[in-house]
Amino acid sequence: MCRRSARVPENWRVVDFQGPGHMGRSLPALGTRQMELLRLVLDSSDIPYIITGHGSQTRAFVPAMYETLARTELSAVASEKAPAPRPLPQRHNAHWAMLVMLFLIFWHGLYMGWWPLPFEHLPDPDYWKMCGKLDVTRVRAGEWWRTATALTLHADSLHLFSNVVFGSPFLILLARRLGLGLTLAATLASGMLGNALNVLYRDPGYASLGFSTAMFSIVGLLCADIVVRSSARGFRRLALPVAAGLAFLAMLGAEGQNIDYAAHIFGLISGFLVGLIASFAIRHDDGLPRPLEFLLSCTAPLLLLLCWKLAL
């Protein structure tokens, strides 16, 4: 039962969502949504009440004999509200992820002969590319390691540094969210998966190389982590990563001379799929345990080394 009145009987008490321990204290005005919820709670409990004032002066009163019951019911409803989402913990070793980019630069300089090294018979660049590029015919014949080795090769210095410049911010951001070990393992796994999908899509005789597939996989991994662990809800939760992925794809170009548009798209898709698995695995935790994090940090480069051993 509700009455709106400018005059309240002397034995009536003002109520809010505070518990019985707050009886008699001065209470702030109720907001519109709070007032609607208060009405529903009191009506469902058959507690008579009076609403006075407008806007910031709105108050709710109940008879003194109902005060404890009203406050108990309102306090119970308030305690059922969902807690504020906890911000994601940020890793502080994300700068180590830049070792990936430094490795790509060092490796490119090594087989391109940028600096003198104590190797007398180092193969020429064409030999490295022949052994490690993503050759559709050879991969379908069983040389699966090319899906990994192709990620470490680049056609020229412009190709290399464009990947380094555009990929570094995304790699650091991903490492801060997932941790270094999981980032390295997920990036390599999704890059290899993206190349494998490209092999299924392309005709025999097609060949490609470059870190671009893994770079787009990193964007896909970030998108998946935002979808799974972001505090946003509804459309915003999905719109943000989708817009980011499409913008990145448009920024680097989906088609053009010497650009493997299919590898970019498959990298984005594979990163998103692998990212869903990785993010769901840690969605209730602060991250992987340190031993597992260290193990994954070592597994990714060891797997890449094994792939090059098989390639040579």
Side-chain angles (χ1 to χ4, degrees):
M1 179 183 67
C2 170
R3 291 188 294 164
R4 180 172 288 276
S5 172
R7 299 180 60 183
V8 180
E10 293 183 0
N11 63 338
W12 285 50
R13 302 287 188 265
V14 63
V15 293
D16 201 341
F17 288 94
Q18 301 290 350
H22 292 263
M23 289 190 296
R25 300 185 184 181
S26 176
L27 297 170
L30 291 169
T32 303
R33 293 184 179 180
Q34 286 182 309
M35 182 58 70
E36 292 300 323
L37 182 58
L38 182 143
R39 290 170 182 258
L40 290 174
V41 173
L42 296 182
D43 283 336
S44 64
S45 302
D46 293 326
I47 299 175
Y49 61 95
I50 295 175
I51 305 296
T52 66
H54 297 277
S56 62
Q57 301 300 318
T58 304
R59 296 290 188 274
F61 295 84
V62 300
M65 62 182 298
Y66 287 100
E67 182 177 7
T68 301
L69 176 61
R71 290 185 178 280
T72 301
E73 294 293 332
L74 292 170
S75 178
V77 171
S79 65
E80 294 175 359
K81 294 180 180 179
R86 184 181 62 173
L88 291 178
Q90 297 293 308
R91 308 299 188 276
H92 299 292
N93 61 347
H95 57 280
W96 289 105
M98 286 303 298
L99 288 177
V100 175
M101 299 305 181
L102 292 177
F103 163 76
L104 290 177
I105 296 174
F106 171 78
W107 178 243
H108 183 78
L110 180 66
Y111 67 77
M112 292 296 291
W114 283 358
W115 42 72
L117 291 173
F119 301 108
E120 296 181 359
H121 304 289
L122 193 66
D124 58 45
D126 291 336
Y127 178 80
W128 292 104
K129 294 176 182 178
M130 180 189 67
C131 293
K133 66 182 179 181
L134 187 73
D135 188 309
V136 171
T137 302
R138 290 181 176 273
V139 174
R140 290 182 180 179
E143 297 183 8
W144 59 269
W145 51 85
R146 289 178 179 269
T147 59
T149 55
L151 299 174
T152 66
L153 297 171
H154 291 85
D156 50 42
S157 299
L158 178 61
H159 185 201
L160 166 70
F161 285 107
S162 63
N163 283 335
V164 170
V165 170
F166 285 107
S168 295
F170 293 95
L171 183 63
I172 293 176
L173 180 58
L174 183 65
R176 286 180 63 84
R177 294 177 66 97
L178 300 184
L180 180 61
L182 188 55
T183 294
L184 294 180
T187 298
L188 181 57
S190 55
M192 293 176 67
L193 177 59
N195 276 339
L197 293 176
N198 200 20
V199 167
L200 297 177
Y201 170 75
R202 294 295 186 179
D203 295 327
Y206 183 84
S208 67
L209 47 80
F211 191 71
S212 300
T213 307
M215 185 173 62
F216 276 86
S217 295
I218 293 171
V219 179
L221 289 166
L222 273 172
C223 292
D225 193 58
I226 293 174
V227 169
V228 174
R229 300 198 295 159
S230 174
S231 59
R233 293 293 182 267
F235 177 75
R236 289 179 56 198
R237 191 176 192 178
L238 185 59
L240 179 61
V242 170
L246 293 178
F248 190 60
L249 189 63
M251 180 175 61
L252 293 185
E255 283 195 75
Q257 185 178 5
N258 298 326
I259 295 179
D260 191 346
Y261 68 93
H264 293 178
I265 295 175
F266 288 134
L268 198 62
I269 294 174
S270 62
F272 188 80
L273 295 177
V274 173
L276 288 178
I277 299 174
S279 297
F280 268 113
I282 62 173
R283 70 186 187 280
H284 296 310
D285 304 312
D286 291 338
L288 296 177
R290 286 184 177 272
L292 183 56
E293 186 82 15
F294 178 77
L295 179 63
L296 288 177
S297 299
C298 297
T299 299
L302 288 176
L303 176 59
L304 195 58
L305 185 62
L306 172 63
C307 290
W308 266 111
K309 180 178 175 57
L310 294 173
L312 297 175

